[in-house]
Amino acid sequence: MANYTKIYWRSSGVPTWGLVFLTIAALSAFLLAEKLQQRDPVVEENYTTMVTAARIMRDAMDTLQPIRAQREPINPEFDPQRSGLIGVSTSPVTTTRGGRESKQTTINPNWAAVAVKLMKQAGVEQGDKVAVTVSGSFPAMNLAVYSAIEAIGAEPVIIASASSSQWGANVPGLLWIDMERELRQRGKLSLKPIAVSIGGVEDRGVDLSAEGIALIKQSIDRADIPLLEPQDYQEAVAERVALFREYAEGEKYKAFINVGGGATIVGPPGIDDQFKSGLIYDAPARAFAVETVMGHFIREGTPGIHMIGIKGLAERYNLPLAPLEPVAVGNGGVYNATTYRRWLAAVLGLGLFGLTWLIVRSARINSVFQRTGEDGKSVRPMV
């Protein structure tokens, strides 16, 4: 057996001056990155519009709350803000499971500011045409998008689906299309879809009961919106694309905006997650394995704004997760007018890595494993 000398402690080999120098360099890099933040031109140029959109959304939320309370009692356990925009666990018009925390996170008027920022980043200006798809699953996020469009003055072409997942606009008699109808009647919003589908499997409610479909059709009749009745998934996609082309009237859409994860819009499971949340210009090849409305617009070079992955978006824009109390207009990182210079952060990070490598190499930290004791015995570190 080899004869080893036991060592119970060994130095890292990096001299004290090296550690001090690295610490100072890291602190200096951090302070430099903080000091040299750049102004966010999108926020600076559109701050007023962002606040206006948030105020429109807050007004709409306040309008809908008593309407919902009259229709169905609001359970504060599920809707802590008592907004009326959190639905129920199950109902005849409910299609699939839904994340309650994600729905609660959308109860914040500052999502309208997020929608404005994304639309402006996509190049949307007053008078520009935008294609929009919404479902009943995220009524508050629908409000955010509608409010942003109103504040910017864009010209939307909207196609909706009426059903909802859990905790969305799934209270019979007060579906999303009922909510927007109430807001139009009260002069809070002016937008109206050009068509609406049942939603659910194949966009025609295959997963719903006859009672649920009847309730949805009653809401559609009250809203006086043409009903789409596709025979299957492929026809549902083709019909929506055809309508968007017809209503474009020869103009190019500046953006395609989608709220939620409807299969006809972003594809079935396994495909839908290929379209990331937020502003997108492209997607992996797998995203185009089946025909989708989002895929159609991306292929045509139209920027997509995908309002899904709510908790991730909230973290990105520093908005609270599932707030328990009403959030004030103007509150959130989305309004910050400064951003980090990413190229500078990358350069500083590489510089620190290089300094660390040089100092460690100069100290020859690995030499301890190659060293031989003075008595000829191999040195084996114990820690």
Side-chain angles (χ1 to χ4, degrees), residues 229-297:
E229 296 186 275
Q231 296 302 306
D232 53 31
Y233 173 88
Q234 289 76 17
E235 185 175 326
V237 174
E239 198 167 16
R240 287 172 183 256
V241 169
L243 279 171
F244 280 128
R245 283 177 172 169
E246 177 185 346
Y247 279 81
E249 298 176 335
E251 294 183 43
K252 180 175 174 58
Y253 289 105
K254 275 298 184 73
F256 169 64
I257 308 167
N258 173 63
V259 179
T264 57
I265 311 304
V266 292
I271 300 296
D272 55 355
D273 58 0
Q274 300 298 301
F275 295 104
K276 68 178 184 179
S277 62
L279 179 61
I280 57 177
Y281 293 94
D282 201 359
R286 181 173 171 77
F288 305 98
V290 298
E291 290 297 317
T292 63
V293 178
M294 178 74 80
H296 163 77
F297 280 102

Side-chain angles (χ1 to χ4, degrees), residues 85-345:
L85 294 174
I86 302 297
V88 294
S89 174
T90 185
S91 72
V93 297
T94 304
T95 53
T96 59
R97 297 177 62 184
R100 191 170 70 217
E101 186 179 16
S102 292
K103 310 292 174 82
Q104 292 169 339
T105 298
T106 64
I107 311 302
N108 182 340
N110 298 299
W111 280 108
V114 173
V116 168
K117 185 172 184 179
L118 289 169
M119 290 172 65
K120 286 297 183 178
Q121 288 174 328
V124 178
E125 300 293 343
Q126 183 177 1
D128 286 340
K129 267 193 166 62
V130 291
V132 182
T133 51
V134 297
S135 73
S137 295
F138 288 92
M141 194 61 80
N142 295 348
L143 272 183
V145 169
Y146 278 35
S147 300
I149 291 170
E150 293 266 19
I152 291 173
E155 298 293 332
V157 177
I158 305 169
I159 300 178
S161 60
S163 54
S164 167
S165 59
Q166 285 180 305
W167 313 113
N170 64 341
V171 174
L174 194 59
L175 309 186
W176 166 247
I177 53 176
D178 293 303
M179 292 181 179
E180 62 174 39
R181 174 179 55 81
E182 295 281 0
L183 292 172
R184 285 194 300 272
Q185 290 176 349
R186 288 163 173 75
K188 302 301 181 180
L189 290 174
S190 62
L191 309 187
K192 183 177 181 179
I194 61 167
V196 61
S197 67
I198 298 294
V201 173
E202 295 188 356
D203 208 26
R204 57 194 183 99
V206 172
D207 50 340
L208 295 173
S209 66
E211 178 192 4
I213 292 176
L215 288 168
I216 290 172
K217 287 185 175 180
Q218 290 171 17
S219 290
I220 293 172
D221 288 341
R222 286 193 297 270
D224 191 27
I225 303 173
L227 172 63
L228 300 178
E229 296 186 275
Q231 296 302 306
D232 53 31
Y233 173 88
Q234 289 76 17
E235 185 175 326
V237 174
E239 198 167 16
R240 287 172 183 256
V241 169
L243 279 171
F244 280 128
R245 283 177 172 169
E246 177 185 346
Y247 279 81
E249 298 176 335
E251 294 183 43
K252 180 175 174 58
Y253 289 105
K254 275 298 184 73
F256 169 64
I257 308 167
N258 173 63
V259 179
T264 57
I265 311 304
V266 292
I271 300 296
D272 55 355
D273 58 0
Q274 300 298 301
F275 295 104
K276 68 178 184 179
S277 62
L279 179 61
I280 57 177
Y281 293 94
D282 201 359
R286 181 173 171 77
F288 305 98
V290 298
E291 290 297 317
T292 63
V293 178
M294 178 74 80
H296 163 77
F297 280 102
I298 295 298
R299 279 196 301 265
E300 289 202 337
T302 302
I305 297 174
H306 193 20
M307 305 300 269
I308 198 68
I310 303 302
K311 289 189 280 189
L313 281 175
E315 292 173 0
R316 189 183 309 174
Y317 293 103
N318 195 24
L319 297 180
L321 295 177
L324 300 179
E325 300 292 335
V327 182
V329 168
N331 189 338
V334 65
Y335 297 99
N336 290 344
T338 57
T339 60
Y340 289 103
R341 299 177 188 268
R342 294 185 179 182
W343 65 267
L344 177 61

Side-chain angles (χ1 to χ4, degrees), residues 9-40:
W9 177 88
R10 67 175 170 84
S11 168
S12 67
V14 178
T16 302
W17 68 264
L19 296 174
V20 172
F21 182 76
L22 280 176
T23 301
I24 294 173
L27 288 173
S28 299
F30 172 77
L31 293 173
L32 187 62
E34 287 288 332
K35 183 71 174 178
L36 297 181
Q37 290 186 54
Q38 63 184 356
R39 305 297 292 176
D40 186 336

